[in-house]
Amino acid sequence: MKELIYAVVVLVVGFVLLIKGADFFVEGSSSVAKRLKVPSMIIGLTIVAMGTSFPELAVSVTASVSNNNALAVSNVVGSNIFNLMVVCGACSLFVPLKVQVDTLKKEFPFSVVCAVLLLALGYGGMILGHVDGALMLVIFAVYLIWMVRSAMRARAGAVDVEDAARILPAGKCILYIAGGLIAIKVGGDFVVNGATVVASGLGLSQNLIGLTVVALGTSLPELVTSIVAAKKDEVDMAVGNVIGSNIFNILLILGVASAISPIVFILENIIDIIILIVMSSLVWVLTWSGKKIDRKEGVLMLAAYTAYLIYICIR
């Protein structure tokens, strides 16, 4: 019993470190991007998405190194479903999330393609091997180059995205980025260790823990960041954060994790990836109609996630 209580405490401390670490990392990185006059959507798709995805990266890579690979897949898939349905759904309750046509034509469908790729690679041999991981990392590198080029093209005609008074000094930017990364790394170790002990202590599978507790915990940075952005009417950053994070989670996180150690798939992983693809396609189609996610659609997305949560708990 004492061991279980200790594991829960470690899990909570890990989440706090992940959230605060991501918060510092995002703030420092965003200030750097703003100094370079990069538009909000590009910041959301790259800097902010990468920062808020570091918790998933820390958890999944740590899980892979410690041979708890079931946690790596469920964490990423669970986080992506949470990001899409809960983060976007919750943000739309505050302000309609307008989505740019370019995003609907490029980044959004690319995130769906990434999920389909994961399904194909995983279902092929029910394992994500070293070669699969290398392939995903190559695709991620191409995506990153594409984003950088987009930022360079947008920079020429961009206006300041934030008042200069709200941009951190260069020294503080470096401190926030370095401190955030350290907190994220330590927090990732704590979450994996705590979640593994809690799962075994309660007789729950690592897959269920990864899809619920760990996925929700590591997605809190995306939720907080996107809601704050939406309330400040930075809807481009809010949407870009979610889409960018989902792409990063699949290509970078599972790419690195499987390159370190092959990840064995189970049937539940395949089902969850299919659900992710269906939900992503549905939101994409809904968004095309009015080029935005309004409050009614947000409520529908939150209801769909609640139904999914009930399903994975009783299956």
Side-chain angles (χ1 to χ4, degrees):
M1 185 64 182
K2 288 184 178 180
E3 184 182 5
L4 189 60
I5 294 175
Y6 175 74
V8 172
V9 172
V10 169
L11 193 63
V12 172
V13 172
F15 281 149
V16 172
L17 288 172
L18 284 173
I19 294 167
K20 294 307 296 180
D23 184 41
F24 282 126
F25 178 86
V26 168
E27 190 168 349
S29 300
S30 295
S31 290
V32 171
K34 289 167 187 175
R35 285 180 177 276
L36 299 176
K37 299 181 181 179
V38 178
S40 294
M41 176 57 78
I42 300 297
I43 293 176
L45 283 166
T46 54
I47 302 295
V48 178
M50 183 176 290
T52 55
S53 288
F54 263 112
E56 287 91 341
L57 178 61
V59 168
S60 296
V61 171
T62 303
S64 182
V65 171
S66 59
N67 292 319
N68 290 319
N69 282 344
L71 197 61
V73 179
S74 57
N75 175 38
V76 164
V77 176
S79 292
N80 279 18
I81 293 175
F82 183 90
N83 287 347
L84 183 70
M85 307 305 285
V86 177
V87 175
C88 283
C91 287
S92 67
L93 299 181
F94 294 95
V95 59
L97 294 180
K98 296 178 182 178
V99 186
Q100 296 179 3
V101 175
D102 276 354
T103 302
L104 288 172
K105 289 181 177 180
K106 299 175 183 178
E107 289 85 12
F108 209 135
F110 182 65
S111 69
V112 178
V113 170
C114 289
V116 173
L117 174 66
L118 178 61
L119 176 64
L121 294 176
Y123 185 72
M126 293 304 285
I127 189 171
L128 208 60
H130 296 302
V131 175
D132 298 324
L135 174 62
M136 294 168 76
L137 289 175
V138 168
I139 297 174
F140 174 75
V142 173
Y143 167 75
L144 208 56
I145 292 171
W146 174 33
M147 285 292 98
V148 170
R149 288 182 175 177
S150 296
M152 295 300 290
R153 286 195 301 268
R155 184 183 176 189
V159 295
D160 291 339
V161 294
E162 197 72 43
D163 191 293
R166 300 180 64 183
I167 299 176
L168 296 174
K172 187 172 283 189
C173 286
I174 296 173
L175 182 63
Y176 272 38
I177 291 172
L181 286 174
I182 293 172
I184 288 168
K185 172 61 175 67
V186 175
D189 291 341
F190 280 11
V191 167
V192 170
N193 294 336
T196 302
V197 174
V198 170
S200 58
L202 298 178
L204 302 176
S205 68
Q206 283 193 8
N207 186 56
L208 179 59
I209 289 292
L211 283 169
T212 54
V213 179
V214 180
L216 268 63
T218 55
S219 288
L220 286 178
E222 282 92 340
L223 179 61
V224 174
T225 302
S226 293
I227 287 179
V228 170
K231 291 179 72 174
K232 291 181 179 180
D233 206 26
E234 287 280 4
V235 291
D236 283 348
M237 185 179 291
V239 175
N241 176 32
V242 169
I243 298 174
S245 292
N246 282 10
I247 293 171
F248 276 49
N249 286 351
I250 292 177
L251 296 181
L252 177 61
I253 295 174
L254 287 184
V256 171
S258 57
I260 294 172
S261 176
I263 302 174
V264 177
F265 273 58
I266 59 176
L267 181 60
E268 289 178 348
N269 293 144
I270 300 300
I271 294 173
D272 291 326
I273 296 171
I274 292 174
I275 291 174
L276 171 61
I277 294 171
V278 171
M279 287 184 171
S280 298
S281 301
L282 178 61
V283 173
W284 184 29
V285 171
L286 287 175
T287 308
W288 260 112
S289 59
K291 305 298 183 293
K292 65 180 180 180
I293 301 173
D294 58 25
R295 185 172 297 176
K296 185 191 302 182
E297 291 165 342
V299 171
L300 178 62
M301 291 163 67
L302 291 173
Y305 182 79
T306 301
Y308 168 72
L309 205 56
I310 294 172
Y311 160 70
I312 61 176
C313 287
I314 65 176
R315 70 182 177 187

PDB file of all heavy atoms in Angstrom, residues 36-61:
ATOM      1  N   LEU A  36      11.886  37.017 -33.988  1.00  0.00           N
ATOM      2  CA  LEU A  36      12.153  36.791 -35.412  1.00  0.00           C
ATOM      3  C   LEU A  36      10.943  37.140 -36.279  1.00  0.00           C
ATOM      4  O   LEU A  36      10.973  36.953 -37.493  1.00  0.00           O
ATOM      5  CB  LEU A  36      12.543  35.323 -35.637  1.00  0.00           C
ATOM      6  CG  LEU A  36      13.814  34.852 -34.914  1.00  0.00           C
ATOM      7  CD1 LEU A  36      14.038  33.362 -35.149  1.00  0.00           C
ATOM      8  CD2 LEU A  36      15.025  35.655 -35.379  1.00  0.00           C
ATOM      9  N   LYS A  37       9.861  37.606 -35.630  1.00  0.00           N
ATOM     10  CA  LYS A  37       8.645  38.034 -36.334  1.00  0.00           C
ATOM     11  C   LYS A  37       8.014  36.908 -37.168  1.00  0.00           C
ATOM     12  O   LYS A  37       7.692  37.082 -38.335  1.00  0.00           O
ATOM     13  CB  LYS A  37       8.925  39.251 -37.225  1.00  0.00           C
ATOM     14  CG  LYS A  37       9.413  40.465 -36.446  1.00  0.00           C
ATOM     15  CD  LYS A  37       9.654  41.652 -37.363  1.00  0.00           C
ATOM     16  CE  LYS A  37      10.161  42.858 -36.570  1.00  0.00           C
ATOM     17  NZ  LYS A  37      10.418  44.025 -37.449  1.00  0.00           N
ATOM     18  N   VAL A  38       7.871  35.742 -36.514  1.00  0.00           N
ATOM     19  CA  VAL A  38       7.247  34.602 -37.176  1.00  0.00           C
ATOM     20  C   VAL A  38       5.751  34.614 -36.863  1.00  0.00           C
ATOM     21  O   VAL A  38       5.368  34.807 -35.707  1.00  0.00           O
ATOM     22  CB  VAL A  38       7.872  33.275 -36.681  1.00  0.00           C
ATOM     23  CG1 VAL A  38       7.200  32.078 -37.333  1.00  0.00           C
ATOM     24  CG2 VAL A  38       9.364  33.271 -36.976  1.00  0.00           C
ATOM     25  N   PRO A  39       4.853  34.423 -37.858  1.00  0.00           N
ATOM     26  CA  PRO A  39       3.403  34.452 -37.634  1.00  0.00           C
ATOM     27  C   PRO A  39       2.935  33.424 -36.612  1.00  0.00           C
ATOM     28  O   PRO A  39       3.573  32.383 -36.408  1.00  0.00           O
ATOM     29  CB  PRO A  39       2.826  34.143 -39.025  1.00  0.00           C
ATOM     30  CG  PRO A  39       3.891  34.585 -39.970  1.00  0.00           C
ATOM     31  CD  PRO A  39       5.188  34.276 -39.283  1.00  0.00           C
ATOM     32  N   SER A  40       1.779  33.693 -35.991  1.00  0.00           N
ATOM     33  CA  SER A  40       1.242  32.847 -34.918  1.00  0.00           C
ATOM     34  C   SER A  40       1.027  31.397 -35.347  1.00  0.00           C
ATOM     35  O   SER A  40       1.306  30.472 -34.590  1.00  0.00           O
ATOM     36  CB  SER A  40      -0.086  33.434 -34.409  1.00  0.00           C
ATOM     37  OG  SER A  40       0.122  34.673 -33.788  1.00  0.00           O
ATOM     38  N   MET A  41       0.470  31.180 -36.551  1.00  0.00           N
ATOM     39  CA  MET A  41       0.214  29.808 -37.000  1.00  0.00           C
ATOM     40  C   MET A  41       1.501  29.011 -37.095  1.00  0.00           C
ATOM     41  O   MET A  41       1.561  27.844 -36.680  1.00  0.00           O
ATOM     42  CB  MET A  41      -0.501  29.825 -38.360  1.00  0.00           C
ATOM     43  CG  MET A  41      -0.726  28.429 -38.954  1.00  0.00           C
ATOM     44  SD  MET A  41      -1.656  27.305 -37.891  1.00  0.00           S
ATOM     45  CE  MET A  41      -3.319  27.905 -38.141  1.00  0.00           C
ATOM     46  N   ILE A  42       2.562  29.620 -37.639  1.00  0.00           N
ATOM     47  CA  ILE A  42       3.839  28.927 -37.762  1.00  0.00           C
ATOM     48  C   ILE A  42       4.420  28.642 -36.376  1.00  0.00           C
ATOM     49  O   ILE A  42       4.968  27.573 -36.118  1.00  0.00           O
ATOM     50  CB  ILE A  42       4.841  29.760 -38.592  1.00  0.00           C
ATOM     51  CG1 ILE A  42       4.284  29.996 -40.005  1.00  0.00           C
ATOM     52  CG2 ILE A  42       6.195  29.051 -38.676  1.00  0.00           C
ATOM     53  CD1 ILE A  42       4.083  28.740 -40.809  1.00  0.00           C
ATOM     54  N   ILE A  43       4.277  29.619 -35.463  1.00  0.00           N
ATOM     55  CA  ILE A  43       4.751  29.401 -34.094  1.00  0.00           C
ATOM     56  C   ILE A  43       4.011  28.219 -33.476  1.00  0.00           C
ATOM     57  O   ILE A  43       4.607  27.356 -32.841  1.00  0.00           O
ATOM     58  CB  ILE A  43       4.510  30.668 -33.233  1.00  0.00           C
ATOM     59  CG1 ILE A  43       5.391  31.816 -33.722  1.00  0.00           C
ATOM     60  CG2 ILE A  43       4.822  30.388 -31.762  1.00  0.00           C
ATOM     61  CD1 ILE A  43       5.144  33.126 -32.999  1.00  0.00           C
ATOM     62  N   GLY A  44       2.681  28.172 -33.682  1.00  0.00           N
ATOM     63  CA  GLY A  44       1.883  27.086 -33.128  1.00  0.00           C
ATOM     64  C   GLY A  44       2.259  25.734 -33.700  1.00  0.00           C
ATOM     65  O   GLY A  44       2.340  24.734 -32.977  1.00  0.00           O
ATOM     66  N   LEU A  45       2.502  25.694 -35.015  1.00  0.00           N
ATOM     67  CA  LEU A  45       2.821  24.426 -35.688  1.00  0.00           C
ATOM     68  C   LEU A  45       4.226  23.922 -35.376  1.00  0.00           C
ATOM     69  O   LEU A  45       4.513  22.739 -35.551  1.00  0.00           O
ATOM     70  CB  LEU A  45       2.667  24.593 -37.206  1.00  0.00           C
ATOM     71  CG  LEU A  45       1.238  24.595 -37.751  1.00  0.00           C
ATOM     72  CD1 LEU A  45       1.221  25.110 -39.189  1.00  0.00           C
ATOM     73  CD2 LEU A  45       0.624  23.211 -37.675  1.00  0.00           C
ATOM     74  N   THR A  46       5.108  24.799 -34.944  1.00  0.00           N
ATOM     75  CA  THR A  46       6.505  24.405 -34.733  1.00  0.00           C
ATOM     76  C   THR A  46       6.946  24.580 -33.285  1.00  0.00           C
ATOM     77  O   THR A  46       6.986  23.625 -32.513  1.00  0.00           O
ATOM     78  CB  THR A  46       7.435  25.197 -35.665  1.00  0.00           C
ATOM     79  OG1 THR A  46       7.182  26.610 -35.491  1.00  0.00           O
ATOM     80  CG2 THR A  46       7.197  24.837 -37.111  1.00  0.00           C
ATOM     81  N   ILE A  47       7.276  25.814 -32.900  1.00  0.00           N
ATOM     82  CA  ILE A  47       7.843  26.064 -31.579  1.00  0.00           C
ATOM     83  C   ILE A  47       6.924  25.619 -30.451  1.00  0.00           C
ATOM     84  O   ILE A  47       7.318  24.841 -29.575  1.00  0.00           O
ATOM     85  CB  ILE A  47       8.166  27.575 -31.402  1.00  0.00           C
ATOM     86  CG1 ILE A  47       9.138  28.041 -32.489  1.00  0.00           C
ATOM     87  CG2 ILE A  47       8.735  27.826 -30.010  1.00  0.00           C
ATOM     88  CD1 ILE A  47      10.496  27.405 -32.421  1.00  0.00           C
ATOM     89  N   VAL A  48       5.677  26.104 -30.467  1.00  0.00           N
ATOM     90  CA  VAL A  48       4.748  25.759 -29.390  1.00  0.00           C
ATOM     91  C   VAL A  48       4.383  24.279 -29.434  1.00  0.00           C
ATOM     92  O   VAL A  48       4.322  23.605 -28.396  1.00  0.00           O
ATOM     93  CB  VAL A  48       3.471  26.634 -29.476  1.00  0.00           C
ATOM     94  CG1 VAL A  48       2.482  26.241 -28.386  1.00  0.00           C
ATOM     95  CG2 VAL A  48       3.834  28.107 -29.337  1.00  0.00           C
ATOM     96  N   ALA A  49       4.150  23.743 -30.639  1.00  0.00           N
ATOM     97  CA  ALA A  49       3.814  22.324 -30.770  1.00  0.00           C
ATOM     98  C   ALA A  49       4.950  21.439 -30.260  1.00  0.00           C
ATOM     99  O   ALA A  49       4.719  20.452 -29.555  1.00  0.00           O
ATOM    100  CB  ALA A  49       3.509  21.989 -32.234  1.00  0.00           C
ATOM    101  N   MET A  50       6.181  21.797 -30.592  1.00  0.00           N
ATOM    102  CA  MET A  50       7.322  21.014 -30.138  1.00  0.00           C
ATOM    103  C   MET A  50       7.457  21.106 -28.616  1.00  0.00           C
ATOM    104  O   MET A  50       7.695  20.098 -27.937  1.00  0.00           O
ATOM    105  CB  MET A  50       8.613  21.499 -30.804  1.00  0.00           C
ATOM    106  CG  MET A  50       9.841  20.678 -30.428  1.00  0.00           C
ATOM    107  SD  MET A  50      11.337  21.205 -31.310  1.00  0.00           S
ATOM    108  CE  MET A  50      10.971  20.668 -32.980  1.00  0.00           C
ATOM    109  N   GLY A  51       7.270  22.314 -28.083  1.00  0.00           N
ATOM    110  CA  GLY A  51       7.386  22.486 -26.640  1.00  0.00           C
ATOM    111  C   GLY A  51       6.345  21.698 -25.872  1.00  0.00           C
ATOM    112  O   GLY A  51       6.659  21.011 -24.900  1.00  0.00           O
ATOM    113  N   THR A  52       5.083  21.782 -26.310  1.00  0.00           N
ATOM    114  CA  THR A  52       4.023  21.070 -25.602  1.00  0.00           C
ATOM    115  C   THR A  52       4.048  19.567 -25.877  1.00  0.00           C
ATOM    116  O   THR A  52       3.390  18.797 -25.172  1.00  0.00           O
ATOM    117  CB  THR A  52       2.635  21.630 -25.986  1.00  0.00           C
ATOM    118  OG1 THR A  52       2.478  21.587 -27.407  1.00  0.00           O
ATOM    119  CG2 THR A  52       2.484  23.063 -25.512  1.00  0.00           C
ATOM    120  N   SER A  53       4.811  19.134 -26.882  1.00  0.00           N
ATOM    121  CA  SER A  53       4.941  17.707 -27.168  1.00  0.00           C
ATOM    122  C   SER A  53       6.111  17.067 -26.422  1.00  0.00           C
ATOM    123  O   SER A  53       6.250  15.844 -26.427  1.00  0.00           O
ATOM    124  CB  SER A  53       5.123  17.466 -28.679  1.00  0.00           C
ATOM    125  OG  SER A  53       3.933  17.700 -29.377  1.00  0.00           O
ATOM    126  N   PHE A  54       6.952  17.886 -25.797  1.00  0.00           N
ATOM    127  CA  PHE A  54       8.086  17.318 -25.079  1.00  0.00           C
ATOM    128  C   PHE A  54       7.678  16.387 -23.939  1.00  0.00           C
ATOM    129  O   PHE A  54       8.395  15.424 -23.654  1.00  0.00           O
ATOM    130  CB  PHE A  54       9.009  18.425 -24.566  1.00  0.00           C
ATOM    131  CG  PHE A  54      10.174  18.686 -25.483  1.00  0.00           C
ATOM    132  CD1 PHE A  54      10.283  19.877 -26.178  1.00  0.00           C
ATOM    133  CD2 PHE A  54      11.162  17.724 -25.662  1.00  0.00           C
ATOM    134  CE1 PHE A  54      11.340  20.116 -27.046  1.00  0.00           C
ATOM    135  CE2 PHE A  54      12.220  17.951 -26.526  1.00  0.00           C
ATOM    136  CZ  PHE A  54      12.319  19.150 -27.215  1.00  0.00           C
ATOM    137  N   PRO A  55       6.556  16.642 -23.219  1.00  0.00           N
ATOM    138  CA  PRO A  55       6.157  15.662 -22.202  1.00  0.00           C
ATOM    139  C   PRO A  55       5.922  14.271 -22.783  1.00  0.00           C
ATOM    140  O   PRO A  55       6.366  13.268 -22.220  1.00  0.00           O
ATOM    141  CB  PRO A  55       4.856  16.267 -21.644  1.00  0.00           C
ATOM    142  CG  PRO A  55       5.039  17.730 -21.831  1.00  0.00           C
ATOM    143  CD  PRO A  55       5.741  17.863 -23.158  1.00  0.00           C
ATOM    144  N   GLU A  56       5.192  14.203 -23.935  1.00  0.00           N
ATOM    145  CA  GLU A  56       4.975  12.913 -24.582  1.00  0.00           C
ATOM    146  C   GLU A  56       6.300  12.295 -25.029  1.00  0.00           C
ATOM    147  O   GLU A  56       6.505  11.081 -24.920  1.00  0.00           O
ATOM    148  CB  GLU A  56       4.045  13.066 -25.796  1.00  0.00           C
ATOM    149  CG  GLU A  56       2.579  13.310 -25.453  1.00  0.00           C
ATOM    150  CD  GLU A  56       2.260  14.791 -25.350  1.00  0.00           C
ATOM    151  OE1 GLU A  56       3.200  15.604 -25.184  1.00  0.00           O
ATOM    152  OE2 GLU A  56       1.063  15.132 -25.427  1.00  0.00           O
ATOM    153  N   LEU A  57       7.223  13.144 -25.533  1.00  0.00           N
ATOM    154  CA  LEU A  57       8.523  12.651 -25.968  1.00  0.00           C
ATOM    155  C   LEU A  57       9.286  12.072 -24.784  1.00  0.00           C
ATOM    156  O   LEU A  57       9.840  10.963 -24.863  1.00  0.00           O
ATOM    157  CB  LEU A  57       9.336  13.786 -26.599  1.00  0.00           C
ATOM    158  CG  LEU A  57      10.768  13.434 -27.059  1.00  0.00           C
ATOM    159  CD1 LEU A  57      10.733  12.358 -28.137  1.00  0.00           C
ATOM    160  CD2 LEU A  57      11.483  14.683 -27.566  1.00  0.00           C
ATOM    161  N   ALA A  58       9.294  12.798 -23.661  1.00  0.00           N
ATOM    162  CA  ALA A  58      10.009  12.335 -22.478  1.00  0.00           C
ATOM    163  C   ALA A  58       9.434  11.023 -21.966  1.00  0.00           C
ATOM    164  O   ALA A  58      10.177  10.079 -21.657  1.00  0.00           O
ATOM    165  CB  ALA A  58       9.942  13.409 -21.381  1.00  0.00           C
ATOM    166  N   VAL A  59       8.102  10.933 -21.897  1.00  0.00           N
ATOM    167  CA  VAL A  59       7.452   9.727 -21.390  1.00  0.00           C
ATOM    168  C   VAL A  59       7.691   8.535 -22.319  1.00  0.00           C
ATOM    169  O   VAL A  59       8.066   7.443 -21.885  1.00  0.00           O
ATOM    170  CB  VAL A  59       5.932   9.960 -21.213  1.00  0.00           C
ATOM    171  CG1 VAL A  59       5.208   8.635 -20.959  1.00  0.00           C
ATOM    172  CG2 VAL A  59       5.688  10.916 -20.055  1.00  0.00           C
ATOM    173  N   SER A  60       7.478   8.736 -23.633  1.00  0.00           N
ATOM    174  CA  SER A  60       7.575   7.632 -24.578  1.00  0.00           C
ATOM    175  C   SER A  60       9.005   7.131 -24.751  1.00  0.00           C
ATOM    176  O   SER A  60       9.245   5.922 -24.833  1.00  0.00           O
ATOM    177  CB  SER A  60       6.995   8.051 -25.936  1.00  0.00           C
ATOM    178  OG  SER A  60       5.621   8.317 -25.826  1.00  0.00           O
ATOM    179  N   VAL A  61       9.969   8.043 -24.804  1.00  0.00           N
ATOM    180  CA  VAL A  61      11.365   7.623 -24.945  1.00  0.00           C
ATOM    181  C   VAL A  61      11.840   6.916 -23.679  1.00  0.00           C
ATOM    182  O   VAL A  61      12.518   5.882 -23.742  1.00  0.00           O
ATOM    183  CB  VAL A  61      12.274   8.834 -25.263  1.00  0.00           C
ATOM    184  CG1 VAL A  61      13.743   8.441 -25.189  1.00  0.00           C
ATOM    185  CG2 VAL A  61      11.963   9.370 -26.655  1.00  0.00           C
TER     186      VAL A  61
END
